[in-house]
Structures are given as C-alpha cells and as structure tokens.
Amino acid sequence: DTEVVALAIESLKAIGLRRFQFDLGQVDFFRGLIEAAGLPPGAAGRVREALLRKDYVGFGNLIDTAEVPPRLREAFHRLPALRGGAEVLEEAESLAFNYRAKEALANLKAIVDELERKGLSEYVQIDLSLVKDLDYYTGLIFEGYTSDLGFTICDGGRYDHLIGQFGFDCPATGFAFGVERLMLCMDRQQAW
C-alpha cells in the first residue's frame, strides 16, 4: 500500500506538479464504528452517504436520531474533525471500540510511518472521515488534490476481492489519475 501511495506522489512530482496533497483513510475504521454502533444496513448507508457528500449537518442529525450508545455517538461526531498529521491516529485510538477499528488504525499508522521513512510525509495527511462511494475497497483509501482545482486528481486504495469477481482471486491495490484534471493543474502550476 505504501509503495502505491509513493508511486502516485512520485508520479505527480515527475510531471512537474509542486503543490499537491494526498488524504489517506482506512475503510475499516468507519466500518468498525458502524459495527460497534450496531447500525442496520439502511441507516449505515445513509450515514456513509452523508459523510461521502461532506454533509456534516445531515451526518450529525442521522447520528443523533439513531439508536447509538452515547460513547459511540461522540465518536461519530468527532469523526469529521479527525484530519491532520500522525496525531490524528493517537486521538482516534480512544474512539476505536472494536478490533476492526483498532486494526485499521494500526494499518494506517504503518503506512504513514513508512511514507515518513521514504521522505514523503509532507505530501500526506490523514482523514479518517474519508469514505468512498464504491464498496469494493478493503483497507487503505486515498485521494489526491491540488489547490488549483476543486476536484480530486487521483483516487485509489486497496481492493482485495475485486479482481476475484473477474476470475482470478488475489489482493490488489492501485490508483487512477484524472488525466484532464492533471493537465489543468499542470497548466495552472506552469509545470510544462
């Protein structure tokens, strides 16, 4: 996973972009909270959709009206603010109420530590509220941004069961760039 994030960073550097950032998340942290709260699939889907749209008011209302234990309600309310450096992982440890969420944080910490060893930590930040609209992700998820564009320029993550749906069961991780978006950013940063 670390190598894939590093490859995405090095690719942007190689085409001349200077100002960009990657947000790293882990799907099992959110899934662990959902599991610990015992939210039924329909309610969990609505909560995830609000978080995906960055509709934090709607997200908060859904959590407040759901039958969620108070300590988990607090964890959900803190979720949108769990963005930043490695300190976010320490803060999130107190909100990881089950094995799934704890393992997700350990996985993300290992990735962040390795990116730091590679000298790439300046390009990444943690966003534990990051969720995707596709359900096939199984671990790390990430998005790349620049200040020159209001959209992602890169999306990726781990998807261990996706390839198996096409006949060859194997774990995988990867990413995709939006080429037209990259070209706009290159133009705006004069990276030609």
Side-chain angles (χ1 to χ4, degrees):
D1 293 344
T2 303
E3 290 174 8
V4 169
V5 176
L7 178 61
I9 291 169
E10 294 296 345
S11 297
L12 293 181
K13 289 169 59 177
I15 64 169
L17 290 185
R18 296 174 308 280
R19 298 179 309 272
F20 61 87
Q21 173 185 313
F22 283 85
D23 285 354
L24 307 181
Q26 222 291 358
V27 296
D28 277 338
F29 184 74
F30 178 72
R31 288 177 181 161
L33 288 178
I34 292 291
E35 196 175 87
L39 287 176
R46 288 187 295 279
V47 167
R48 186 175 128 244
E49 183 64 30
L51 200 54
L52 178 67
R53 288 190 326 266
K54 308 273 190 229
D55 175 7
Y56 300 130
V57 172
F59 173 78
N61 289 338
L62 286 167
I63 294 302
D64 287 342
T65 58
E67 292 183 29
V68 176
R71 66 188 180 109
L72 278 159
R73 181 170 286 123
E74 178 190 343
F76 277 109
H77 280 294
R78 288 175 58 191
L79 190 59
L82 292 176
R83 283 182 64 106
E87 72 281 354
V88 168
L89 295 173
E90 293 173 24
E91 181 182 348
E93 283 180 24
S94 67
L95 307 176
F97 295 110
N98 60 15
Y99 180 79
R100 187 176 202 171
K102 288 177 197 247
E103 284 296 301
L105 292 177
N107 172 254
L108 200 50
K109 182 176 181 348
I111 293 166
V112 169
D113 288 349
E114 185 61 26
L115 288 169
E116 186 171 343
R117 279 191 285 282
K118 290 179 177 289
L120 300 173
S121 60
E122 69 183 278
Y123 299 103
V124 298
Q125 81 167 3
I126 296 160
D127 181 355
L128 290 176
S129 69
L130 185 62
V131 294
K132 297 299 220 172
D133 55 350
L134 300 170
D135 280 336
Y136 58 68
Y137 288 103
T138 57
L140 169 75
I141 51 176
F142 60 94
E143 296 179 342
Y145 301 91
T146 73
S147 59
D148 305 294
L149 192 65
F151 301 97
T152 59
I153 57 171
C154 179
D155 284 291
R158 173 158 289 284
Y159 38 91
D160 287 339
H161 308 294
L162 180 64
I163 295 174
Q165 295 176 19
F166 300 98
F168 183 69
D169 195 23
C170 70
T173 186
F175 65 90
F177 286 123
V179 176
E180 290 178 358
R181 292 176 180 182
L182 279 180
M183 292 176 70
L184 279 170
C185 294
M186 289 172 69
D187 188 47
R188 291 176 181 173
Q189 291 189 21
Q190 299 176 347
W192 300 105

